[in-house]
Amino acid sequence: MDGPEKKKAWSEVVDFPIPGRTNKPRIKGLTMVIDKGLGLVSTEELLNVAGDYIDYLKLGFGTSALYDEDVLVKKISLVRSCGADIYPGGTFFEVAWLQNKVKDYLKYAWHLGFSAIEISDGTVDMGYEVKRNFIVMAKDMGFKVITEVGKKDLRDMPDLNKFIRQVKKELDSEADLVIIEGRESGKGIGLYDARGNIRKDDFAELLLNTYKMEKIMWEAPLKKQQQEFITLFGPNVNLGNVAINEILALEALRVGMRGDTLKNTLSAGEFLQCVLI
Amino acid sequence: MDGPEKKKAWSEVVDFPIPGRTNKPRIKGLTMVIDKGLGLVSTEELLNVAGDYIDYLKLGFGTSALYDEDVLVKKISLVRSCGADIYPGGTFFEVAWLQNKVKDYLKYAWHLGFSAIEISDGTVDMGYEVKRNFIVMAKDMGFKVITEVGKKDLRDMPDLNKFIRQVKKELDSEADLVIIEGRESGKGIGLYDARGNIRKDDFAELLLNTYKMEKIMWEAPLKKQQQEFITLFGPNVNLGNVAINEILALEALRVGMRGDTLKNTLSAGEFLQCVLI
Amino acid sequence: MDGPEKKKAWSEVVDFPIPGRTNKPRIKGLTMVIDKGLGLVSTEELLNVAGDYIDYLKLGFGTSALYDEDVLVKKISLVRSCGADIYPGGTFFEVAWLQNKVKDYLKYAWHLGFSAIEISDGTVDMGYEVKRNFIVMAKDMGFKVITEVGKKDLRDMPDLNKFIRQVKKELDSEADLVIIEGRESGKGIGLYDARGNIRKDDFAELLLNTYKMEKIMWEAPLKKQQQEFITLFGPNVNLGNVAINEILALEALRVGMRGDTLKNTLSAGEFLQCVLI
């Protein structure tokens, strides 16, 4: 093949059916990927093929404690070299908090090379003021800060009004992103009913909210959830907990190169133009 | 180990319980794999282990537009070097058609090295005569041509009789293979009910049809579907949308090296001998 | 990074919330992984990242017959070099038995380098005495022997009392491990109802049994099953049929670095201290 390097295939042949997709480094339309243990070669492979479509890579749960330190340092460095942020799952922060070790946790994460950090209270109860102090502390250390709203156990979830108030409060915090908990499964938790459908009526106030919408990231592991968010908010909605092997499939959804969202472009009446984002 | 290279392990110890499995290059018993973004090392790895069991590799949906051109060219070349055909998902063709660019699409696909092409109307409506002209056009350019029958959205599906008539019409076309849409999920679409079971009564006419059966490829992503097709038609039924990490598992099903089909061989009464294929 | 090689990341910062996890080579707390066709590079990658958390690697079903012999020999050698045992799925043994080739099967498996062997009757009926003779034969050849109890087809399952008696009988055999069938799906088979929940009432006798409990390995492919076994028996319960990409996630569950089991440690009342194991 001749031509310049790094040309996207087909770029001179067809246009993406859904226009306006942002490029890296993007401030909206972020994709956060959940990594459950890729090795170094696989990580490099992933970045070579899908690096342009990964903005954040999360080492799920507390899995980063299971790596040999030298492997972890190399992995973090690889991910950052392609312009993506990388951070340990929020449960790790919660464990550190339980052991009164948040400061050590943050310092060591910085030492390893992590560029972002998640501040969550999905399993523990720390109260909002405490949480907010950690957001500020991490921000001051130089991290991009992701705060998460929502409990991992359905029985612990606050009522809807309180949940939505919490989201709004966090949108006003110093955090860079506010994540809405969806877990890895995307089912029976917060936004999602037991089958993984978005509870649109219950969450109408949140979904119709336009206030700082670009700061919200929706954990949306299932294709139908990704499709629905793209239909609601357009290609540049922030989506998280995307599985490693679904990154290109999601990007295809975003730009209308997959049947489910291509169809939207054919029936303008059904397709909400991206007024919100 | 001594002996000739490329000897299959165990070949001198046990026989496959289901005999008669075809070898590459095969004209029946084809396996089509859906690839959602493997990198070059992973592709090579896949071919080293499972290359003998991959006849077609589809770059799902429009994901091939998300690769850097140089990576895509190398990937296509790798796949072809192991004697498998490779093609972009049909949705990409439909996008090109919507933009009046089918000829450019085909020419560029050829230029990249794709050896096959899918002509589908799963999301768009183009009418059969138009579709057939593209089948002929692609065939004339040298592609192996795969035509797909079925809509991606259940609400767009024609009634059963019409669907079956369409399949038969396509079997008479110049296409090399006629794919029955099953999507990546294998649920609630065409042949499959919401749980992914084959609607055997509804599709009896198609399933009992022996006319050019070797030209039909069933998209069957779920194990129970693969198992059922093998039980109905024997080891050399054409199966598509097989996940990357299920290729050896499917091949084990085909030859009776997995409980589900091994059991068939134990109770001949339950096992339809492969009369159709 | 300075410091000794192979230091686990974070080890000086936080403690695992669930203490007492065993290290390799472990005699309890074993993890058995099901491999459906990893190539050599991917296998090496997997071992580099997750090798400390893999005790047994099973080449699922009869897939080991689908490898080129030289690739298989190298793969076996890689796995053993990290101190894990590797063996072919039990269905392969059953095929050999059907063809009256068990001795050849065992000799060739040994020749290839397999260090363990599974003796099962999930699809065939051989009677316990026959099965036990093969356990002894394999043991005498030097294999670690894994015997499996349970049928792959629900319709073939013995009644509960008989099933539990079989487990107890096998616990007294010469086998190193007794595996309770859970299949790859973990649903609608033996221990699990159609949704994959553990039938705790039906299996109370088995679950409360403390007799040689460390010899039992539960096939538990689903996260909720792994979580439940860890809640019941603590971090050092033996779990099998773990998917390749879930190994670190399971290890995080074992040590309380994932919300689901971290929560247990917060409410001691809900958490059975690991009395059994």
Side-chain angles (χ1 to χ4, degrees):
Chain A
M1 306 300 304
D2 52 359
E5 284 186 41
K6 285 280 198 176
K7 189 178 75 164
K8 286 291 171 202
W10 307 98
S11 53
E12 288 160 22
V13 180
V14 292
D15 299 317
F16 290 148
I18 300 179
R21 176 71 178 126
T22 51
N23 290 315
K24 270 175 90 168
R26 36 178 86 81
I27 49 171
K28 61 184 184 181
L30 303 165
T31 294
M32 178 267 274
V33 169
I34 183 167
D35 175 332
K36 299 192 289 182
L38 284 190
L40 297 177
V41 177
S42 306
T43 302
E44 205 167 350
E45 278 271 283
L46 178 74
L47 298 171
N48 280 342
V49 167
D52 290 343
Y53 315 114
I54 301 172
D55 303 288
Y56 285 88
L57 189 139
K58 172 171 72 180
L59 299 181
F61 336 116
T63 54
S64 63
L66 303 171
Y67 287 80
D68 289 332
E69 191 185 64
D70 62 329
V71 173
L72 185 57
V73 167
K74 284 179 195 148
K75 181 163 176 173
I76 291 170
S77 170
L78 272 173
V79 173
R80 292 192 62 177
S81 73
C82 102
D85 285 294
I86 176 166
Y87 65 100
T91 297
F92 208 149
F93 161 77
E94 299 180 44
V95 169
W97 178 73
L98 284 167
Q99 299 180 5
N100 206 19
K101 293 272 187 64
V102 173
K103 197 143 200 177
D104 291 344
Y105 169 74
L106 294 175
K107 278 162 76 174
Y108 183 69
W110 187 260
H111 172 69
L112 288 170
F114 282 111
S115 58
I117 214 80
E118 180 178 332
I119 305 293
S120 63
D121 55 353
T123 305
V124 303
D125 292 312
M126 64 175 62
Y128 180 65
E129 282 315 307
V130 176
K131 192 179 177 191
R132 180 148 178 214
N133 284 340
F134 290 127
I135 292 173
V136 173
M137 180 191 292
K139 198 72 197 152
D140 285 346
M141 287 178 68
F143 286 109
K144 288 196 187 176
V145 176
I146 299 156
T147 181
E148 188 178 57
V149 189
K151 291 294 185 183
K152 293 200 183 294
D153 189 322
L154 196 57
R155 293 166 296 180
D156 299 332
M157 279 293 284
D159 70 58
L160 263 177
N161 288 332
K162 195 171 169 202
F163 182 82
I164 290 170
R165 276 203 310 278
Q166 282 181 358
V167 172
K168 290 182 174 172
K169 203 153 59 174
E170 304 259 17
L171 286 172
D172 285 329
S173 76
E174 290 77 1
D176 296 277
L177 274 177
V178 178
I179 287 198
I180 313 296
E181 172 74 79
R183 303 217 65 184
E184 194 200 347
S185 64
K187 291 184 181 172
I189 183 70
L191 266 179
Y192 304 117
D193 68 19
R195 290 163 172 272
N197 294 311
I198 302 176
R199 297 162 56 196
K200 279 196 273 197
D201 288 340
D202 292 339
F203 284 89
E205 191 186 341
L206 193 57
L207 293 167
L208 295 174
N209 169 48
T210 60
Y211 177 66
K212 296 190 177 177
M213 185 57 113
E214 76 286 352
K215 259 182 87 164
I216 294 183
M217 174 172 279
W218 312 91
E219 286 190 350
L222 304 182
K223 192 205 78 171
K224 66 179 171 185
Q225 297 164 351
Q226 298 163 1
Q227 174 186 348
E228 202 154 14
F229 279 117
I230 293 166
T231 302
L232 283 169
F233 298 124
N236 294 316
V237 61
N238 301 324
L239 296 173
N241 276 11
V242 177
I244 288 289
N245 62 348
E246 297 292 337
I247 303 170
L248 290 200
L250 167 60
E251 193 65 23
L253 267 183
R254 288 186 185 275
V255 297
M257 294 297 286
R258 194 168 174 184
D260 312 272
T261 51
L262 173 61
K263 191 173 162 68
N264 288 337
T265 69
L266 304 181
S267 49
E270 284 185 32
F271 189 49
L272 271 182
Q273 288 307 316
C274 329
V275 289
L276 298 176
I277 287 186
Chain B
M1 308 301 304
D2 51 0
E5 282 186 44
K6 285 280 201 176
K7 187 178 76 165
K8 287 292 170 201
W10 307 97
S11 53
E12 288 159 23
V13 180
V14 291
D15 299 317
F16 290 147
I18 301 179
R21 176 71 178 127
T22 51
N23 290 316
K24 269 174 90 169
R26 36 178 86 80
I27 49 170
K28 62 183 184 181
L30 303 165
T31 294
M32 178 269 275
V33 168
I34 184 168
D35 175 331
K36 300 192 290 181
L38 285 190
L40 297 177
V41 176
S42 306
T43 302
E44 205 168 349
E45 278 272 282
L46 178 74
L47 298 171
N48 280 343
V49 167
D52 289 345
Y53 315 114
I54 302 172
D55 303 287
Y56 285 88
L57 189 140
K58 172 170 72 179
L59 300 180
F61 334 116
T63 54
S64 64
L66 304 171
Y67 287 78
D68 290 331
E69 191 186 64
D70 61 329
V71 173
L72 184 57
V73 167
K74 283 178 196 148
K75 181 163 176 171
I76 291 170
S77 170
L78 273 173
V79 173
R80 293 192 61 178
S81 72
C82 100
D85 285 294
I86 177 167
Y87 65 99
T91 298
F92 208 149
F93 162 77
E94 298 181 43
V95 169
W97 178 73
L98 284 168
Q99 298 181 6
N100 206 19
K101 294 272 186 63
V102 173
K103 196 142 200 178
D104 290 344
Y105 169 75
L106 294 175
K107 279 162 75 173
Y108 184 67
W110 187 260
H111 172 69
L112 289 171
F114 283 111
S115 60
I117 213 80
E118 179 177 332
I119 304 293
S120 64
D121 55 352
T123 306
V124 304
D125 293 312
M126 64 174 61
Y128 180 65
E129 281 315 307
V130 175
K131 192 179 177 189
R132 179 150 179 212
N133 284 338
F134 290 128
I135 292 173
V136 174
M137 181 191 292
K139 198 71 197 151
D140 286 346
M141 287 177 68
F143 287 108
K144 287 196 187 176
V145 176
I146 300 155
T147 181
E148 188 178 57
V149 189
K151 292 295 185 181
K152 294 198 181 298
D153 189 322
L154 196 56
R155 293 167 297 180
D156 299 333
M157 280 292 284
D159 70 58
L160 263 176
N161 289 331
K162 195 172 168 200
F163 182 82
I164 291 169
R165 275 203 309 277
Q166 283 181 359
V167 173
K168 291 182 173 171
K169 203 153 58 174
E170 304 259 17
L171 286 172
D172 284 329
S173 76
E174 291 77 2
D176 296 276
L177 275 177
V178 178
I179 287 198
I180 312 296
E181 172 74 80
R183 303 219 66 184
E184 193 199 348
S185 64
K187 291 184 181 173
I189 183 69
L191 267 179
Y192 304 116
D193 69 19
R195 290 163 173 273
N197 293 312
I198 303 176
R199 297 162 55 197
K200 280 196 271 197
D201 289 339
D202 292 340
F203 284 89
E205 193 186 340
L206 194 55
L207 293 167
L208 295 175
N209 170 48
T210 59
Y211 177 64
K212 296 190 176 177
M213 186 57 114
E214 76 287 351
K215 257 182 88 163
I216 294 184
M217 174 172 278
W218 312 90
E219 286 190 351
L222 304 182
K223 192 205 78 171
K224 66 179 171 186
Q225 297 163 352
Q226 298 162 4
Q227 174 185 349
E228 203 155 14
F229 279 116
I230 292 165
T231 302
L232 283 170
F233 299 123
N236 294 316
V237 60
N238 301 324
L239 296 172
N241 276 11
V242 176
I244 288 289
N245 61 347
E246 297 292 338
I247 302 171
L248 290 200
L250 167 60
E251 193 66 22
L253 268 183
R254 287 186 185 275
V255 298
M257 295 297 288
R258 194 167 174 185
D260 312 271
T261 51
L262 173 61
K263 191 173 161 68
N264 287 337
T265 69
L266 304 180
S267 49
E270 284 184 35
F271 189 48
L272 269 182
Q273 288 307 316
C274 327
V275 288
L276 298 176
I277 288 187
Chain C
M1 306 300 304
D2 51 359
E5 281 185 44
K6 286 279 199 176
K7 187 177 76 163
K8 286 291 171 201
W10 308 98
S11 54
E12 289 158 22
V13 180
V14 292
D15 299 318
F16 289 147
I18 301 178
R21 176 71 178 124
T22 50
N23 289 316
K24 270 176 90 169
R26 37 178 87 79
I27 49 169
K28 62 183 183 180
L30 303 165
T31 294
M32 178 268 275
V33 168
I34 183 168
D35 175 332
K36 299 191 290 181
L38 285 190
L40 297 177
V41 177
S42 306
T43 302
E44 205 167 350
E45 278 272 282
L46 178 74
L47 298 170
N48 280 342
V49 168
D52 290 344
Y53 316 114
I54 302 172
D55 304 288
Y56 284 87
L57 189 139
K58 172 171 71 179
L59 299 181
F61 335 115
T63 54
S64 64
L66 303 170
Y67 287 79
D68 289 332
E69 191 185 64
D70 61 330
V71 173
L72 184 57
V73 167
K74 284 179 194 146
K75 182 163 175 171
I76 291 169
S77 169
L78 272 172
V79 173
R80 293 193 61 178
S81 72
C82 100
D85 285 295
I86 176 166
Y87 66 100
T91 297
F92 208 148
F93 161 77
E94 299 181 44
V95 169
W97 178 74
L98 284 168
Q99 298 180 5
N100 206 18
K101 295 272 186 64
V102 173
K103 196 143 200 178
D104 291 343
Y105 169 75
L106 294 175
K107 278 162 75 174
Y108 183 69
W110 186 260
H111 173 68
L112 288 171
F114 283 110
S115 59
I117 214 79
E118 180 177 333
I119 305 292
S120 63
D121 55 354
T123 306
V124 303
D125 293 312
M126 64 176 61
Y128 180 66
E129 282 315 306
V130 175
K131 193 179 175 189
R132 181 152 177 211
N133 284 339
F134 291 127
I135 292 173
V136 173
M137 180 191 294
K139 199 71 198 151
D140 285 345
M141 288 178 67
F143 287 108
K144 289 196 187 176
V145 175
I146 300 156
T147 180
E148 188 178 57
V149 188
K151 291 294 184 182
K152 293 198 182 297
D153 190 320
L154 195 57
R155 294 167 297 180
D156 299 333
M157 280 293 284
D159 70 60
L160 264 175
N161 288 333
K162 194 172 169 201
F163 182 82
I164 290 169
R165 275 202 311 276
Q166 282 182 357
V167 172
K168 290 181 174 172
K169 202 154 58 173
E170 304 260 15
L171 286 171
D172 285 329
S173 76
E174 291 78 1
D176 296 276
L177 275 178
V178 178
I179 287 198
I180 313 296
E181 171 75 79
R183 302 219 65 184
E184 193 199 347
S185 64
K187 291 183 181 173
I189 183 70
L191 267 180
Y192 304 116
D193 68 18
R195 289 162 174 274
N197 293 312
I198 303 176
R199 297 163 54 195
K200 279 195 273 196
D201 289 339
D202 292 340
F203 284 89
E205 192 186 340
L206 194 55
L207 293 167
L208 295 174
N209 169 48
T210 59
Y211 177 65
K212 297 191 176 176
M213 185 58 113
E214 76 287 350
K215 257 182 88 162
I216 294 185
M217 173 171 281
W218 312 89
E219 287 191 349
L222 303 182
K223 191 205 79 170
K224 65 179 172 186
Q225 296 164 351
Q226 297 163 2
Q227 174 186 348
E228 204 155 13
F229 279 116
I230 292 166
T231 303
L232 283 169
F233 299 123
N236 294 316
V237 61
N238 301 324
L239 296 172
N241 277 11
V242 177
I244 288 288
N245 62 347
E246 297 293 337
I247 302 170
L248 291 199
L250 166 61
E251 192 66 22
L253 267 182
R254 286 185 186 274
V255 297
M257 295 297 286
R258 195 168 174 185
D260 312 271
T261 51
L262 173 61
K263 192 174 161 67
N264 289 337
T265 69
L266 304 180
S267 49
E270 284 184 34
F271 190 49
L272 271 181
Q273 288 306 318
C274 327
V275 288
L276 299 175
I277 288 187

